C-alpha cells in the first residue's frame, strides 16, 4: 500500500494508471476510520483495479464555530485498517497543499443543499462539493463510494456529478450501525458513557417513524410530532432538525405518499449527530 501526500504526485500516479488501462475506485473520508468507512472500501474493492482511500479533514466544510480542530485523528490506525481492506493507495494531503491561500473558485449546489444540514451548517455543502470535485480531478476515479449515513451529502454530490458531467459512477453504501442501532460515526468518540446511551434516541425516533408509516400513518405533522416527543424525553438531547422530505428533491412533504427521507440532527451535549431512513409508504 502506497501513501501519497502530494496532490501533484496523486494526479500523476492516477494519470499513469489510467494510461495503462487500470480502473480506479475512490472512497473519500475524513479518517478516524470505523466499520462504516470499511464497508465502503469492501463495496469498492471488487469494482476496480486500484482502490484509493483519501483521508482529509476538509477545513472548507467546517463552519467557524465547529469542531475542525477537535475532529478525531489517528493516521497510524487508519493506515493499518486500509491495509486490511486491500487498499492500494492512501491519499493523505496536508490542508495547506489542497487549497491555495487565495483560492477563489467554489462549487455551489443550489437546489438540494439549502435545507436539512445545509440549513444548520451554512457553506458546508459548498466545502463538500469543492473538495470532492478536487479529489475527483486528482484521483481520476471511475467510481466513488459514499455512505447513506450522509443522505443529503450523497444526493448533493450525485447532482454535482450529473450537472458537471464528471465521468464518475457514484455508488451508495448502506448505513452501518453499532449492535444497539447507533449509526457509526467518527464523532461518536466525543460521547461519554451516559451520552452514548442518550444517542440511541436518533435511531429510536427513526424506528418510530417507520413503524407509524407501516401502521398507515401518512401525516408528516403527526409523525414529526411523535419523534419530537420521543427525543424530548431524553435529557441532554437537543433537536437541531427533524425533517421529512421527498427522497429525490429533498423538498418538504405534508404526507408520506412516496419514498420519503426522514432525516434528523440532534445534539447530545455538545456533539451533533445525524441519522436518517427512507420511508416506503
Ligand atoms: P466521513 O469520514 O465522516 O466524512 O465519512 C466518509 C464517508 O463514509 C462518507 O461517504 C460517509 O457517508 C460514510 N460513512 C460515515 N459513516 C458511515 C456509516 N455509519 N455507514 C456507512 N457509511 C458511512
Amino acid at each position: 500500500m502506497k501513501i501519497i501526500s502530494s496532490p501533484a504526485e496523486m494526479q500523476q500516479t492516477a494519470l499513469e494508471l489510467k494510461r495503462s488501462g487500470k480502473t480506479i475506485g475512490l472512497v473519500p473520508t475524513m479518517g478516524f476510520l470505523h466499520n462504516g468507512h470499511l464497508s465502503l472500501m469492501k463495496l469498492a474493492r471488487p469494482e476496480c483495479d486500484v482502490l484509493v482511500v483519501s483521508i482529509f479533514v476538509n477545513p472548507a466544510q467546517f463552519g467557524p464555530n465547529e469542531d475542525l480542530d477537535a475532529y478525531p485523528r489517528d493516521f497510524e490506525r487508519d493506515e493499518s485498517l486500509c491495509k486490511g481492506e486491500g487498499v492500494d493507495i492512501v491519499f493523505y494531503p496536508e490542508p495547506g497543499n489542497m487549497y491555495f491561500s487565495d483560492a477563489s473558485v467554489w462549487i455551489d449546489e443550489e437546489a438540494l443543499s439549502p435545507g436539512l444540514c445545509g440549513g444548520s451548517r451554512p457553506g458546508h455543502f459548498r466545502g463538500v462539493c469543492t473538495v470532492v470535485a478536487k479529489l475527483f480531478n486528482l484521483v481520476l476515479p471511475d467510481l466513488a463510494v459514499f455512505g447513506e449515513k450522509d443522505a443529503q451529502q450523497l444526493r448533493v454530490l450525485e447532482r454535482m456529478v450529473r450537472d458537471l458531467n464528471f465521468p464518475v459512477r457514484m455508488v451508495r453504501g448502506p448505513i452501518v450501525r453499532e449492535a444497539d442501532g447507533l449509526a457509526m460515526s467518527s464523532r461518536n468518540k466525543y460521547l461519554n458513557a451516559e451520552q452514548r446511551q442518550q444517542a440511541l434516541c436518533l435511531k429510536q425516533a427513526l424506528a418510530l417513524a417507520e413503524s407509524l408509516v407501516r401502521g398507515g400513518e401518512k401525516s408528516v405533522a403527526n409523525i414529526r410530532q411523535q419523534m419530537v416527543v420521543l427525543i424530548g424525553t431524553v435529557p441532554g438531547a437537543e433537536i437541531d432538525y427533524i425533517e421529512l422530505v421527498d427522497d429525490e428533491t429533498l423538498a418538504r412533504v405534508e404526507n408520506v405518499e412516496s419514498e420519503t427521507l426522514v432525516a434528523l440532527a440532534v445534539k447530545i451535549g455538545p456533539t451533533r449527530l445525524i441519522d436518517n431512513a427512507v420511508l416506503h409508504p
Side-chain angles (χ1 to χ4, degrees):
M1 192 176 75
K2 202 166 160 184
I3 293 161
I4 297 180
S5 58
S6 144
E9 185 188 344
M10 182 66 247
Q11 194 176 51
Q12 192 55 38
T13 304
L15 281 166
E16 281 160 20
L17 287 165
K18 302 295 281 186
R19 269 190 217 114
S20 65
K22 303 279 193 222
T23 59
I24 300 177
L26 172 65
V27 177
T29 81
M30 297 205 300
F32 207 71
L33 303 176
H34 51 66
N35 284 335
H37 299 114
L38 303 190
S39 74
L40 308 182
M41 298 175 202
K42 287 182 170 69
L43 273 177
R45 184 59 284 184
E47 301 282 322
C48 57
D49 298 318
V50 177
L51 176 54
V52 181
V53 170
S54 60
I55 297 180
F56 181 58
V57 183
N58 173 35
Q61 70 191 67
F62 286 79
N65 298 315
E66 293 183 357
D67 58 342
L68 173 62
D69 292 333
Y71 198 83
R73 293 160 169 93
D74 187 344
F75 183 70
E76 272 173 33
R77 184 169 166 277
D78 289 351
E79 190 184 348
S80 84
L81 289 168
C82 287
K83 259 188 205 147
E85 295 303 327
V87 171
D88 298 293
I89 298 174
V90 174
F91 178 46
Y92 181 54
E94 298 274 328
N97 294 337
M98 276 296 272
Y99 292 102
F100 289 92
S101 57
D102 60 348
S104 54
V105 179
W106 305 91
I107 296 183
D108 260 315
E109 191 289 324
E110 297 181 333
L112 307 174
S113 301
L116 307 171
C117 286
S120 331
R121 305 184 70 188
H124 172 67
F125 289 111
R126 179 191 204 236
V128 169
C129 286
T130 304
V131 81
V132 170
K134 286 165 72 72
L135 288 170
F136 284 179
N137 284 333
L138 294 171
V139 176
L140 307 176
D142 296 274
L143 79 142
V145 191
F146 294 88
E148 300 262 24
K149 161 84 192 319
D150 299 273
Q152 184 180 17
Q153 165 174 287
L154 185 47
R155 286 154 183 77
V156 167
L157 291 172
E158 286 171 350
R159 179 66 65 93
M160 178 185 84
V161 163
R162 185 197 79 174
D163 284 0
L164 298 183
N165 307 92
F166 280 98
V168 178
R169 176 159 69 90
M170 299 288 279
V171 176
R172 294 181 173 198
I175 301 177
V176 176
R177 298 179 179 281
E178 303 287 356
D180 60 8
L182 178 66
M184 290 193 181
S185 163
S186 307
R187 290 190 169 95
N188 292 348
K189 157 117 171 99
Y190 297 142
L191 305 171
N192 64 29
E194 189 187 2
Q195 292 166 337
R196 173 67 185 72
Q197 273 310 109
Q198 294 164 342
L200 293 175
C201 70
L202 283 90
K203 173 62 183 163
Q204 285 160 357
L206 294 173
L208 174 61
E210 285 170 318
S211 95
L212 288 168
V213 168
R214 263 198 309 277
E217 179 64 81
K218 287 198 181 325
S219 159
V220 161
N222 289 346
I223 297 167
R224 203 178 164 281
Q225 182 52 26
Q226 296 204 43
M227 294 173 76
V228 169
V229 169
L230 185 152
I231 293 174
T233 64
V234 179
E238 187 200 325
I239 296 170
D240 175 1
Y241 69 78
I242 298 180
E243 297 277 4
L244 287 91
V245 296
D246 180 89
D247 186 41
E248 244 184 74
T249 64
L250 302 188
R252 283 198 183 127
V253 293
E254 282 183 18
N255 291 297
V256 177
E257 272 156 348
S258 55
E259 308 263 290
T260 301
L261 177 72
V262 50
L264 76 173
V266 177
K267 279 180 87 173
I268 305 291
T271 306
R272 183 177 173 281
L273 300 176
I274 60 171
D275 202 346
N276 70 86
V278 178
L279 302 171
H280 309 274

